[in-house]
Amino acid sequence: MSSSLRPSDDVAAPRQLAEFRARAVDPRSLWRGLGIFAVHALLYFATLLGAVANFALPTNVMFGVANGVFIALLFIIGHDGCHGSFVPQRRWNLWLARLAFLPCAHSASLWRRTHNELHHHRTNLKGVDRVWAPMSKAEYDAASPFRRWLERLYRSPFGPLVYYYGEFWLYRMLLPLAPETRANWKRHVFDSVFVILGMGLTLFGIAKLGATFAPGRPMWLTLLTGWFLPFVVWNYVMALTIYLNHTRPEIPWFDSLDRWTFHRANIMSTSHVKLPFDFLVPLYSEAMAHTAHHADISLPVYALPDAQSELKLRFGAGVQEYTLSFAEYRRICAACKLFDFERMQWTDFAGNPTAVTWAAEQSPPDRLQA
Protein backbone atom coordinates (compact mmCIF):
# COMPACT_ATOMS: atom_id res chain seq x y z
CA MET A 1 0.00 0.00 0.00
CA SER A 2 1.30 3.43 -0.90
CA SER A 3 2.65 5.46 2.00
CA SER A 4 0.97 8.52 0.47
CA LEU A 5 -2.30 7.61 2.19
CA ARG A 6 -3.05 9.97 5.05
CA PRO A 7 -5.85 10.44 7.60
CA SER A 8 -6.73 13.64 5.78
CA ASP A 9 -7.68 11.57 2.73
CA ASP A 10 -10.99 10.87 4.52
CA VAL A 11 -11.86 14.57 4.44
CA ALA A 12 -11.98 14.84 0.64
CA ALA A 13 -13.52 11.40 0.14
CA PRO A 14 -17.23 12.31 0.47
CA ARG A 15 -16.90 14.99 -2.21
CA GLN A 16 -14.95 12.66 -4.52
CA LEU A 17 -17.49 9.88 -4.02
CA ALA A 18 -20.37 12.27 -4.75
CA GLU A 19 -18.64 13.28 -7.99
CA PHE A 20 -18.04 9.63 -8.85
CA ARG A 21 -21.72 8.78 -8.37
CA ALA A 22 -22.97 11.76 -10.37
CA ARG A 23 -23.63 10.67 -13.94
CA ALA A 24 -25.82 11.97 -16.72
CA VAL A 25 -26.83 8.57 -18.09
CA ASP A 26 -28.27 5.60 -16.20
CA PRO A 27 -25.97 2.66 -17.10
CA ARG A 28 -28.73 0.09 -16.46
CA SER A 29 -30.37 -1.49 -19.50
CA LEU A 30 -33.45 -3.73 -19.46
CA TRP A 31 -32.61 -5.51 -22.70
CA ARG A 32 -28.95 -5.96 -21.89
CA GLY A 33 -29.87 -7.28 -18.45
CA LEU A 34 -32.46 -9.68 -19.83
CA GLY A 35 -29.98 -10.87 -22.44
CA ILE A 36 -27.31 -11.59 -19.81
CA PHE A 37 -29.86 -13.41 -17.66
CA ALA A 38 -31.16 -15.49 -20.61
CA VAL A 39 -27.65 -16.56 -21.70
CA HIS A 40 -26.60 -17.62 -18.19
CA ALA A 41 -29.92 -19.37 -17.49
CA LEU A 42 -29.56 -21.37 -20.73
CA LEU A 43 -25.97 -22.30 -19.87
CA TYR A 44 -27.10 -23.31 -16.38
CA PHE A 45 -29.72 -25.68 -17.81
CA ALA A 46 -27.32 -27.00 -20.48
CA THR A 47 -24.63 -27.86 -17.92
CA LEU A 48 -27.28 -29.35 -15.61
CA LEU A 49 -28.40 -31.64 -18.42
CA GLY A 50 -24.79 -32.62 -19.05
CA ALA A 51 -24.34 -33.42 -15.35
CA VAL A 52 -27.18 -36.00 -15.35
CA ALA A 53 -27.15 -37.32 -18.94
CA ASN A 54 -25.97 -40.79 -19.92
CA PHE A 55 -22.31 -39.84 -20.30
CA ALA A 56 -19.24 -41.35 -18.70
CA LEU A 57 -19.09 -40.36 -15.04
CA PRO A 58 -16.00 -38.08 -15.45
CA THR A 59 -17.97 -36.13 -18.09
CA ASN A 60 -20.91 -35.78 -15.70
CA VAL A 61 -18.55 -34.53 -13.02
CA MET A 62 -17.06 -31.97 -15.43
CA PHE A 63 -20.54 -30.69 -16.29
CA GLY A 64 -21.49 -30.71 -12.60
CA VAL A 65 -18.54 -28.45 -11.77
CA ALA A 66 -19.48 -26.14 -14.66
CA ASN A 67 -23.08 -26.11 -13.41
CA GLY A 68 -21.87 -24.95 -10.00
CA VAL A 69 -20.01 -22.08 -11.69
CA PHE A 70 -23.17 -21.03 -13.52
CA ILE A 71 -25.11 -21.12 -10.27
CA ALA A 72 -22.55 -18.60 -9.01
CA LEU A 73 -22.94 -16.47 -12.13
CA LEU A 74 -26.73 -16.47 -11.79
CA PHE A 75 -26.21 -15.44 -8.20
CA ILE A 76 -24.35 -12.32 -9.41
CA ILE A 77 -27.46 -11.37 -11.38
CA GLY A 78 -29.63 -11.96 -8.31
CA HIS A 79 -27.23 -9.90 -6.20
CA ASP A 80 -27.60 -6.93 -8.56
CA GLY A 81 -31.36 -7.41 -8.70
CA CYS A 82 -31.54 -7.19 -4.91
CA HIS A 83 -29.68 -3.88 -5.11
CA GLY A 84 -32.11 -2.68 -7.79
CA SER A 85 -29.13 -2.17 -10.08
CA PHE A 86 -29.32 -4.92 -12.71
CA VAL A 87 -32.08 -3.33 -14.83
CA PRO A 88 -33.94 -0.02 -14.48
CA GLN A 89 -37.35 -1.32 -13.37
CA ARG A 90 -37.90 -2.25 -9.70
CA ARG A 91 -40.29 -5.15 -10.38
CA TRP A 92 -37.99 -6.64 -13.00
CA ASN A 93 -35.09 -6.45 -10.54
CA LEU A 94 -37.11 -8.13 -7.81
CA TRP A 95 -38.27 -11.08 -9.88
CA LEU A 96 -34.98 -11.55 -11.73
CA ALA A 97 -33.34 -11.74 -8.29
CA ARG A 98 -35.84 -14.31 -7.04
CA LEU A 99 -35.45 -16.48 -10.14
CA ALA A 100 -31.65 -16.17 -10.25
CA PHE A 101 -31.48 -17.14 -6.57
CA LEU A 102 -33.44 -20.40 -7.03
CA PRO A 103 -30.46 -22.60 -8.03
CA CYS A 104 -28.42 -21.41 -5.02
CA ALA A 105 -31.48 -21.60 -2.70
CA HIS A 106 -31.28 -18.04 -1.37
CA SER A 107 -34.14 -15.93 -0.10
CA ALA A 108 -34.02 -12.51 -1.77
CA SER A 109 -35.32 -10.71 1.31
CA LEU A 110 -32.88 -12.45 3.67
CA TRP A 111 -30.02 -11.60 1.33
CA ARG A 112 -31.07 -7.96 1.26
CA ARG A 113 -31.13 -7.88 5.07
CA THR A 114 -27.70 -9.46 5.56
CA HIS A 115 -25.95 -7.99 2.53
CA ASN A 116 -27.58 -4.66 1.67
CA GLU A 117 -28.55 -3.49 5.15
CA LEU A 118 -25.62 -4.82 7.20
CA HIS A 119 -22.61 -5.58 5.01
CA HIS A 120 -22.89 -2.47 2.82
CA HIS A 121 -24.07 -0.22 5.61
CA ARG A 122 -21.03 -0.94 7.80
CA THR A 123 -18.49 -2.84 5.70
CA ASN A 124 -15.69 -4.45 7.76
CA LEU A 125 -17.18 -3.21 11.04
CA LYS A 126 -17.09 -6.05 13.58
CA GLY A 127 -20.48 -6.72 15.19
CA VAL A 128 -22.46 -5.44 12.19
CA ASP A 129 -20.80 -6.92 9.12
CA ARG A 130 -20.62 -10.67 9.74
CA VAL A 131 -19.02 -11.76 6.47
CA TRP A 132 -15.65 -13.36 7.31
CA ALA A 133 -15.40 -11.13 10.41
CA PRO A 134 -12.14 -12.07 12.18
CA MET A 135 -11.88 -13.04 15.83
CA SER A 136 -9.68 -11.10 18.22
CA LYS A 137 -7.11 -13.00 20.30
CA ALA A 138 -9.35 -12.59 23.39
CA GLU A 139 -12.38 -13.99 21.54
CA TYR A 140 -10.36 -16.90 20.21
CA ASP A 141 -8.94 -17.76 23.65
CA ALA A 142 -12.42 -17.63 25.22
CA ALA A 143 -13.98 -19.87 22.56
CA SER A 144 -14.61 -23.59 23.04
CA PRO A 145 -12.04 -26.07 21.70
CA PHE A 146 -14.41 -26.98 18.86
CA ARG A 147 -14.98 -23.32 17.91
CA ARG A 148 -11.21 -22.69 17.93
CA TRP A 149 -10.71 -25.74 15.69
CA LEU A 150 -13.45 -24.45 13.37
CA GLU A 151 -11.84 -21.02 13.17
CA ARG A 152 -8.53 -22.63 12.28
CA LEU A 153 -10.29 -24.55 9.51
CA TYR A 154 -12.09 -21.43 8.26
CA ARG A 155 -8.83 -19.48 8.13
CA SER A 156 -6.94 -22.23 6.32
CA PRO A 157 -6.72 -22.40 2.50
CA PHE A 158 -9.53 -24.99 2.68
CA GLY A 159 -11.84 -22.75 4.70
CA PRO A 160 -14.07 -21.67 1.79
CA LEU A 161 -15.05 -25.32 1.26
CA VAL A 162 -17.10 -25.30 4.48
CA TYR A 163 -17.47 -21.68 5.64
CA TYR A 164 -20.66 -20.64 3.85
CA TYR A 165 -22.75 -23.66 4.88
CA GLY A 166 -22.21 -23.23 8.61
CA GLU A 167 -22.04 -19.46 8.90
CA PHE A 168 -24.59 -18.23 6.38
CA TRP A 169 -26.65 -20.41 4.09
CA LEU A 170 -29.11 -22.37 6.21
CA TYR A 171 -30.04 -19.92 8.94
CA ARG A 172 -29.21 -16.62 7.26
CA MET A 173 -30.05 -17.16 3.59
CA LEU A 174 -32.73 -19.87 3.58
CA LEU A 175 -34.57 -19.44 6.89
CA PRO A 176 -34.91 -16.32 9.10
CA LEU A 177 -33.20 -17.94 12.10
CA ALA A 178 -30.26 -15.58 12.68
CA PRO A 179 -30.53 -12.99 15.50
CA GLU A 180 -30.64 -10.12 13.02
CA THR A 181 -33.66 -11.59 11.18
CA ARG A 182 -35.68 -13.43 13.85
CA ALA A 183 -37.41 -10.30 15.19
CA ASN A 184 -38.85 -9.45 11.75
CA TRP A 185 -39.26 -13.00 10.49
CA LYS A 186 -42.67 -12.29 8.92
CA ARG A 187 -41.16 -10.04 6.25
CA HIS A 188 -39.07 -13.00 5.05
CA VAL A 189 -41.75 -15.72 4.99
CA PHE A 190 -42.78 -15.28 1.34
CA ASP A 191 -39.26 -15.46 -0.05
CA SER A 192 -38.24 -18.35 2.22
CA VAL A 193 -41.29 -20.38 1.16
CA PHE A 194 -40.67 -19.41 -2.47
CA VAL A 195 -37.06 -20.66 -2.28
CA ILE A 196 -37.90 -23.86 -0.37
CA LEU A 197 -40.57 -24.75 -2.95
CA GLY A 198 -38.12 -23.85 -5.70
CA MET A 199 -35.46 -26.09 -4.18
CA GLY A 200 -37.96 -28.94 -4.00
CA LEU A 201 -38.93 -28.44 -7.65
CA THR A 202 -35.25 -28.28 -8.60
CA LEU A 203 -34.52 -31.62 -6.93
CA PHE A 204 -37.64 -33.13 -8.52
CA GLY A 205 -36.63 -31.78 -11.93
CA ILE A 206 -33.10 -33.15 -11.63
CA ALA A 207 -34.49 -36.54 -10.67
CA LYS A 208 -36.84 -36.52 -13.68
CA LEU A 209 -34.04 -35.48 -16.03
CA GLY A 210 -31.90 -38.32 -14.72
CA ALA A 211 -34.72 -40.83 -15.12
CA THR A 212 -35.30 -39.63 -18.69
CA PHE A 213 -31.76 -39.30 -20.00
CA ALA A 214 -29.95 -41.90 -17.88
CA PRO A 215 -32.67 -44.38 -16.83
CA GLY A 216 -30.19 -47.05 -15.76
CA ARG A 217 -28.36 -44.78 -13.32
CA PRO A 218 -29.14 -44.90 -9.58
CA MET A 219 -31.08 -41.87 -8.34
CA TRP A 220 -28.47 -41.09 -5.68
CA LEU A 221 -25.80 -40.77 -8.36
CA THR A 222 -28.00 -38.48 -10.44
CA LEU A 223 -28.56 -36.23 -7.43
CA LEU A 224 -24.86 -36.38 -6.60
CA THR A 225 -23.70 -35.09 -10.00
CA GLY A 226 -26.75 -32.95 -10.75
CA TRP A 227 -27.33 -31.23 -7.41
CA PHE A 228 -24.84 -32.00 -4.64
CA LEU A 229 -21.63 -31.43 -6.63
CA PRO A 230 -22.84 -28.17 -8.24
CA PHE A 231 -24.06 -26.93 -4.85
CA VAL A 232 -20.66 -27.67 -3.30
CA VAL A 233 -18.89 -25.83 -6.12
CA TRP A 234 -21.25 -22.85 -5.82
CA ASN A 235 -20.73 -22.61 -2.05
CA TYR A 236 -16.97 -22.75 -2.50
CA VAL A 237 -16.98 -20.02 -5.16
CA MET A 238 -19.23 -17.85 -2.99
CA ALA A 239 -17.18 -18.23 0.19
CA LEU A 240 -13.87 -17.72 -1.63
CA THR A 241 -15.17 -14.63 -3.43
CA ILE A 242 -16.40 -12.80 -0.36
CA TYR A 243 -13.19 -13.76 1.47
CA LEU A 244 -11.01 -12.25 -1.24
CA ASN A 245 -13.14 -9.11 -1.51
CA HIS A 246 -12.40 -7.89 2.03
CA THR A 247 -9.58 -10.02 3.49
CA ARG A 248 -5.93 -9.25 2.83
CA PRO A 249 -2.88 -8.55 5.04
CA GLU A 250 -3.03 -4.86 4.09
CA ILE A 251 -6.76 -4.52 4.82
CA PRO A 252 -8.03 -3.80 8.36
CA TRP A 253 -11.25 -4.55 10.17
CA PHE A 254 -12.77 -2.13 12.67
CA ASP A 255 -14.53 -2.58 16.00
CA SER A 256 -15.42 1.08 16.54
CA LEU A 257 -17.20 3.75 14.55
CA ASP A 258 -14.54 6.18 15.77
CA ARG A 259 -12.13 4.58 13.30
CA TRP A 260 -14.62 3.42 10.68
CA THR A 261 -15.68 5.68 7.82
CA PHE A 262 -17.48 4.88 4.57
CA HIS A 263 -14.36 5.79 2.58
CA ARG A 264 -12.03 3.66 4.69
CA ALA A 265 -14.24 0.58 4.58
CA ASN A 266 -15.70 0.72 1.09
CA ILE A 267 -12.81 2.19 -0.90
CA MET A 268 -9.62 1.45 1.03
CA SER A 269 -10.74 -1.86 2.56
CA THR A 270 -12.37 -3.43 -0.50
CA SER A 271 -10.28 -5.23 -3.09
CA HIS A 272 -10.45 -5.35 -6.85
CA VAL A 273 -9.30 -8.90 -7.51
CA LYS A 274 -7.94 -9.29 -11.02
CA LEU A 275 -8.21 -12.80 -12.44
CA PRO A 276 -5.78 -14.56 -14.77
CA PHE A 277 -8.74 -16.10 -16.62
CA ASP A 278 -10.94 -13.05 -17.27
CA PHE A 279 -11.91 -14.25 -20.74
CA LEU A 280 -13.41 -17.53 -19.45
CA VAL A 281 -16.05 -16.07 -17.12
CA PRO A 282 -16.46 -12.39 -18.04
CA LEU A 283 -19.44 -11.80 -15.74
CA TYR A 284 -17.44 -13.01 -12.73
CA SER A 285 -14.45 -10.86 -13.70
CA GLU A 286 -16.74 -7.83 -13.94
CA ALA A 287 -18.17 -8.55 -10.49
CA MET A 288 -14.67 -8.67 -9.02
CA ALA A 289 -14.27 -4.95 -9.72
CA HIS A 290 -15.66 -4.84 -6.22
CA THR A 291 -14.47 -1.42 -5.08
CA ALA A 292 -16.65 0.28 -7.69
CA HIS A 293 -19.65 -1.73 -6.48
CA HIS A 294 -19.08 -0.61 -2.89
CA ALA A 295 -18.58 2.98 -3.99
CA ASP A 296 -21.91 2.98 -5.84
CA ILE A 297 -24.35 0.09 -5.40
CA SER A 298 -26.61 1.45 -8.17
CA LEU A 299 -24.08 0.34 -10.81
CA PRO A 300 -24.94 -2.89 -12.67
CA VAL A 301 -22.26 -5.54 -12.86
CA TYR A 302 -21.70 -4.89 -16.57
CA ALA A 303 -20.79 -1.23 -15.79
CA LEU A 304 -18.28 -2.00 -13.03
CA PRO A 305 -15.03 -2.32 -15.05
CA ASP A 306 -15.32 1.20 -16.47
CA ALA A 307 -16.36 2.56 -13.08
CA GLN A 308 -13.39 0.81 -11.45
CA SER A 309 -11.02 2.54 -13.85
CA GLU A 310 -12.57 5.90 -13.01
CA LEU A 311 -12.34 5.16 -9.30
CA LYS A 312 -8.66 4.33 -9.67
CA LEU A 313 -8.07 7.70 -11.34
CA ARG A 314 -9.82 9.50 -8.49
CA PHE A 315 -8.32 7.66 -5.51
CA GLY A 316 -5.07 6.26 -6.93
CA ALA A 317 -3.21 4.10 -4.41
CA GLY A 318 -6.24 4.26 -2.12
CA VAL A 319 -7.89 1.60 -4.31
CA GLN A 320 -6.78 -1.90 -3.34
CA GLU A 321 -6.19 -4.21 -6.30
CA TYR A 322 -4.11 -7.30 -7.01
CA THR A 323 -3.93 -10.24 -9.39
CA LEU A 324 -5.02 -13.52 -7.85
CA SER A 325 -2.51 -16.35 -7.83
CA PHE A 326 -1.87 -19.40 -5.67
CA ALA A 327 1.09 -17.62 -4.08
CA GLU A 328 -1.00 -14.55 -3.24
CA TYR A 329 -3.81 -16.71 -1.84
CA ARG A 330 -1.32 -18.58 0.38
CA ARG A 331 0.07 -15.24 1.57
CA ILE A 332 -3.41 -14.01 2.51
CA CYS A 333 -4.34 -17.23 4.33
CA ALA A 334 -1.01 -17.35 6.20
CA ALA A 335 -1.27 -13.79 7.49
CA CYS A 336 -5.00 -13.34 8.14
CA LYS A 337 -5.82 -15.52 11.17
CA LEU A 338 -6.90 -13.18 14.01
CA PHE A 339 -7.14 -9.39 14.10
CA ASP A 340 -5.74 -7.05 16.74
CA PHE A 341 -8.31 -4.23 16.78
CA GLU A 342 -6.21 -2.12 19.13
CA ARG A 343 -3.09 -2.10 16.95
CA MET A 344 -5.07 -2.52 13.70
CA GLN A 345 -3.07 -5.48 12.42
CA TRP A 346 -3.46 -9.14 11.58
CA THR A 347 -1.91 -11.79 13.82
CA ASP A 348 -1.47 -15.52 13.93
CA PHE A 349 -3.45 -17.68 16.39
CA ALA A 350 -0.82 -17.05 19.07
CA GLY A 351 -1.32 -13.30 18.75
CA ASN A 352 1.98 -12.61 16.96
CA PRO A 353 1.70 -9.84 14.33
CA THR A 354 1.78 -11.10 10.75
CA ALA A 355 1.00 -7.95 8.78
CA VAL A 356 0.59 -4.21 9.22
CA THR A 357 -2.49 -2.66 7.63
CA TRP A 358 -2.61 0.87 6.24
CA ALA A 359 -4.86 1.81 9.20
CA ALA A 360 -2.09 1.01 11.71
CA GLU A 361 -0.07 3.89 10.31
CA GLN A 362 -2.87 6.43 10.64
CA SER A 363 -4.38 8.14 13.66
CA PRO A 364 -8.17 7.66 14.00
CA PRO A 365 -9.93 10.31 11.91
CA ASP A 366 -13.08 12.15 12.91
CA ARG A 367 -16.18 10.13 12.20
CA LEU A 368 -17.61 10.89 8.76
CA GLN A 369 -21.06 10.11 7.45
CA ALA A 370 -21.59 8.93 3.89
Side-chain angles (χ1 to χ4, degrees), residues 25-41 77 80 85-89 92-93 96 282-283 286-287 299-307:
V25 179
D26 186 344
R28 298 174 299 173
S29 166
L30 177 62
W31 295 112
R32 186 174 182 182
L34 290 177
I36 292 171
F37 176 77
V39 167
H40 287 84
I77 294 171
D80 273 24
S85 63
F86 191 64
V87 295
Q89 292 82 356
W92 275 107
N93 275 308
L96 284 173
L283 188 68
E286 291 168 350
L299 289 169
V301 62
Y302 44 85
L304 290 181
D306 289 342

Side-chain angles (χ1 to χ4, degrees), residues 97-330:
R98 284 173 171 156
L99 293 174
F101 275 177
L102 284 177
C104 64
H106 272 45
S107 157
S109 66
L110 286 172
W111 175 258
R112 285 195 299 271
R113 171 59 179 156
T114 299
H115 181 74
N116 297 18
E117 298 175 18
L118 298 178
H119 172 64
H120 274 278
H121 185 58
R122 291 287 186 264
T123 304
N124 279 31
L125 180 63
K126 183 75 179 284
V128 180
D129 186 1
R130 293 172 171 83
V131 184
W132 284 105
M135 281 184 163
S136 66
K137 181 64 164 63
E139 288 175 312
Y140 179 78
D141 289 343
S144 67
F146 173 76
R147 186 62 186 84
R148 290 198 297 271
W149 173 85
L150 192 61
E151 191 66 15
R152 285 179 175 272
L153 176 60
Y154 286 164
R155 295 285 165 178
S156 75
F158 305 102
L161 286 169
V162 295
Y163 176 79
Y164 202 71
Y165 298 103
E167 296 298 319
F168 279 89
W169 176 59
L170 184 62
Y171 81 115
R172 279 197 166 97
M173 295 295 115
L174 185 63
L175 300 170
L177 300 177
E180 64 269 21
T181 56
R182 278 201 302 261
N184 297 308
W185 63 270
K186 291 182 180 179
R187 66 181 277 202
H188 305 293
V189 168
F190 176 82
D191 277 312
S192 287
V193 171
F194 182 80
V195 169
I196 291 169
L197 290 175
M199 186 166 62
L201 287 173
T202 299
L203 290 168
F204 176 77
I206 291 171
K208 291 295 289 183
L209 284 174
T212 301
F213 291 99
R217 178 168 293 170
M219 185 59 62
W220 68 266
L221 188 54
T222 293
L223 292 176
L224 181 70
T225 59
W227 181 79
F228 181 78
L229 175 60
F231 205 71
V232 167
V233 171
W234 136 253
N235 273 273
Y236 174 75
V237 171
M238 178 60 171
L240 179 65
T241 300
I242 56 180
Y243 177 81
L244 296 173
N245 286 157
H246 299 283
T247 304
R248 200 166 177 236
E250 294 80 6
I251 290 179
W253 273 72
F254 304 88
D255 66 351
S256 167
L257 278 172
D258 293 333
R259 291 185 173 185
W260 186 97
T261 70
F262 184 90
H263 169 233
R264 287 181 146 215
N266 288 278
I267 305 300
M268 299 172 76
S269 297
T270 301
S271 289
H272 173 203
V273 184
K274 298 178 179 180
L275 306 172
F277 47 85
D278 284 1
F279 64 96
L280 291 177
V281 278
L283 188 68
Y284 186 73
S285 297
E286 291 168 350
M288 295 304 276
H290 201 60
T291 322
H293 169 62
H294 269 260
D296 187 352
I297 60 173
S298 71
L299 289 169
V301 62
Y302 44 85
L304 290 181
D306 289 342
Q308 185 74 25
S309 297
E310 180 185 344
L311 201 67
K312 181 70 174 176
L313 289 174
R314 289 184 179 274
F315 289 95
V319 178
Q320 293 268 358
E321 58 181 37
Y322 66 95
T323 300
L324 183 63
S325 65
F326 287 113
E328 178 65 13
Y329 182 57
R330 286 196 302 269

Side-chain angles (χ1 to χ4, degrees), residues 26-67:
D26 186 344
R28 298 174 299 173
S29 166
L30 177 62
W31 295 112
R32 186 174 182 182
L34 290 177
I36 292 171
F37 176 77
V39 167
H40 287 84
L42 286 172
L43 289 170
Y44 163 75
F45 284 114
T47 52
L48 174 58
L49 182 59
V52 301
N54 191 23
F55 298 141
L57 187 58
T59 303
N60 293 129
V61 169
M62 179 188 69
F63 275 110
V65 171
N67 188 243

